[in-house]
Amino acid sequence: MTHDVTQTTETSARAAGDDGSHDGSHGGSTPPKTPRRRTPRIHRAWFVAAVTFVTIIGAAAFRSLPGLLFDPLKEDFGWSRGTVGLAVSVNLALYGLTAPFAAALMDRFGIRKVVAVALVVIACGSGLTVWMNSAWQLLLCWGLLVGLGSGSMALAFAATVTNRWFTERRGFVSGILTAASASGQLVFLPLLSWIVETYQWRPAAVTVALAALAVVPFVWLLLRDHPADVGLKPYGSQEFVPKPPPVPGAARRAVTVLLKAARTGPFWLLAGSFAICGASTNGLIQTHFVPAAHDHGMGVRAAASLLAVIGIFDIVGTIASGWFTDRFDSRRLLAVYYALRGVSLLFLPMLLAPDVRPPMIFFIVFYGLDWVATVPPTLALCREQYGDDSAIVFGWVLASHQVGAGLVAFLGGVARDVFGSYDVIWYASGALCAAAALMVLVIRRARTEPVAVAVSG
């Protein structure tokens, strides 16, 4: 009823200019407040998006560290690259598998509470690593705790904010928030590599723990769960959208949505292609590029700086991809992204050298533009296919992304231990990207429009 009153008052204000007497039966306090709320120069949704951006950047800082720890942990504890890669694999897998449940928990308890708790868990997991002395403790702290916390801060968070606060510019906003997640993992690398080289790895772990904690006050004080909390319409909406009631049974809902989506062909095509996306980014380049470059004589700090450049250009590429997603067929965009990424990986073994040369710079810039440009069109296809359940479905698709990343993070370390180089992993990942390009094109023939109408209507 309150929302109907607000709409009636707004309509009266537009018609009569300043008179709230058309709705006088509901009291005199509502009319003077409504005009101030519905005519801000900048819609509150953009401030929420900004807070979300900063939050994801801060939470992503810790994800910069694993690729820098292979050699330091081997020196301190004698752990092989396969052992460290296993911990990273568990972390990446849990990062994805937690995401759909986190999306459901946000529907139940609200975005602000879930994100604040997740940041504290991330800080605890990262901070506790300074006292570890056994490989199982690395699995517990970095694999389990940090994996669970980061999963709650995954792209399902960005999807939930985008779906609730925006009806227009969703592709653009999802591109910005995706860029925050991916770039935050990379732009901190030069700083963290300097800390690792100068003060060893433990101060670096403490640094990323503090970065996660520093964001908690911003989340608690500035983030809001829904436009209705502040009496606003979603950005671009012509109608006031009431805040939905809390949804009980978060775990049950996440599983139910999965079972429903799993009966459709597009889900498996999206999940399979996104698994390859994760394998070729987080699992491969982010985890193994620095040690692979170091194998060819490049300094750790120089290799980490190249990854930071990927993070910078990722912001441009992902925002541009969001803009393209609002205007072009998402399936064709994904096919182009995956095909070009696969070709670039086939050339990478020839580009690694002791110093940074122009062909390597070209690869880094290109890979940065393509890094997670796949996310906005993938999210758009989930929204098109699954309507109100799209955030949770995207969480499961993201889970496949991280499972693929975790598998390659582990297999990459094993391959290096067995073959003495990463070449076989570069070539295999390039071939997988070609397969992903074909998979997304098949979605066109998977009866997408009827399914979308059935779910949303």
Side-chain angles (χ1 to χ4, degrees):
M1 292 295 295
T2 303
H3 306 310
D4 295 336
V5 171
T6 304
Q7 285 180 281
T8 304
T9 306
E10 290 174 349
T11 304
S12 302
R14 287 195 301 269
D18 57 13
D19 190 0
S21 62
H22 301 298
D23 201 23
S25 60
H26 298 282
S29 59
T30 302
K33 294 181 180 179
T34 303
R36 289 196 297 271
R37 284 183 173 180
R38 62 173 304 277
T39 58
R41 287 185 177 274
I42 301 177
H43 196 284
R44 179 67 175 267
W46 294 109
F47 292 103
V48 172
V51 173
T52 304
F53 181 91
V54 173
T55 301
I56 294 175
I57 283 281
F62 79 95
R63 298 190 62 81
S64 306
L65 198 54
L68 304 176
L69 296 184
F70 283 88
D71 290 332
L73 292 180
K74 184 176 182 179
E75 292 175 2
D76 279 10
F77 304 110
W79 297 341
S80 68
R81 296 194 183 189
T83 299
V84 179
L86 178 60
V88 176
S89 176
V90 172
N91 176 289
L92 292 172
L94 285 176
Y95 175 86
L97 292 172
T98 306
F101 296 97
L105 286 172
M106 289 177 189
D107 288 341
R108 175 67 178 88
F109 298 105
I111 298 173
R112 183 167 58 168
K113 293 179 181 179
V114 173
V115 172
V117 171
L119 287 167
V120 173
V121 172
I122 287 171
C124 291
S126 180
L128 288 173
T129 58
V130 301
W131 290 288
M132 68 181 180
N133 51 33
S134 299
W136 69 266
Q137 294 169 338
L138 178 66
L139 289 172
L140 175 64
C141 294
W142 208 269
L144 181 62
L145 291 179
V146 172
L148 291 174
S150 62
S152 300
M153 287 291 301
L155 293 176
F157 171 39
T160 301
V161 169
T162 303
N163 289 347
R164 290 186 181 184
W165 281 88
F166 294 85
T167 58
E168 293 181 357
R169 305 290 183 88
R170 280 178 168 174
F172 177 71
V173 175
S174 64
I176 293 176
L177 299 183
T178 299
S181 177
S183 299
Q185 301 169 27
L186 300 175
V187 296
F188 291 94
L189 277 170
L191 171 63
L192 292 177
S193 65
W194 174 78
I195 294 175
V196 170
E197 288 186 345
T198 306
Y199 302 104
Q200 301 299 318
W201 62 270
R202 287 182 176 85
V206 173
T207 299
V208 296
L210 294 177
L213 282 178
V215 184
V216 174
F218 292 95
V219 171
W220 196 255
L221 296 175
L222 301 177
L223 194 62
R224 292 295 179 268
D225 291 333
H226 197 278
D229 290 341
V230 289
L232 292 175
K233 305 172 184 176
Y235 179 83
S237 176
Q238 300 301 314
E239 298 180 356
F240 188 93
V241 178
K243 183 177 181 178
V247 180
R252 183 174 63 253
R253 184 184 176 209
V255 174
T256 300
V257 170
L258 171 63
L259 294 176
K260 184 191 302 182
R263 293 195 291 267
T264 65
F267 174 79
W268 294 106
L269 294 169
L270 287 168
S273 60
F274 218 42
I276 294 172
C277 177
S280 56
T281 53
N282 301 78
L284 184 64
I285 297 296
Q286 182 179 325
T287 304
H288 292 291
F289 179 82
V290 171
H294 190 59
D295 285 346
H296 287 76
M298 185 179 295
V300 171
R301 196 179 303 179
S305 297
L306 290 177
L307 283 185
V309 174
I310 287 180
I312 293 171
F313 280 92
D314 165 67
I315 297 175
V316 178
T318 309
I319 294 175
S321 179
W323 187 87
F324 291 143
T325 301
D326 288 333
R327 290 161 176 81
F328 301 105
D329 185 348
S330 297
R331 300 160 188 81
R332 294 185 179 182
L333 287 175
L334 285 173
V336 171
Y337 296 157
Y338 285 127
L340 293 177
R341 182 184 300 179
V343 171
S344 67
L345 284 173
L346 296 178
F347 284 96
L348 181 57
M350 296 178 284
L351 303 180
L352 291 169
D355 52 357
V356 180
R357 300 173 183 176
M360 174 59 76
I361 295 176
F362 179 81
F363 170 85
I364 290 296
V365 171
F366 174 80
Y367 217 82
L369 293 173
D370 190 63
W371 182 258
V372 285
T374 55
V375 173
T378 301
L379 180 55
L381 288 175
C382 287
R383 190 183 302 120
E384 171 189 314
Q385 297 283 339
Y386 304 106
D388 292 339
D389 291 331
S390 61
I392 297 178
V393 173
F394 180 72
W396 285 112
V397 172
L398 178 64
S400 71
H401 181 282
Q402 295 306 118
V403 169
L407 186 61
V408 171
F410 172 65
L411 292 178
V414 172
R416 171 60 178 79
D417 292 335
V418 173
F419 299 109
S421 76
Y422 287 98
D423 288 358
V424 65
I425 296 296
W426 304 133
Y427 294 136
S429 297
L432 286 174
C433 288
L438 296 176
M439 291 170 69
V440 294
L441 289 176
V442 174
I443 297 176
R444 178 182 295 278
R445 299 190 293 272
R447 295 185 180 181
T448 56
E449 288 77 8
V451 173
V453 173
V455 173
S456 60

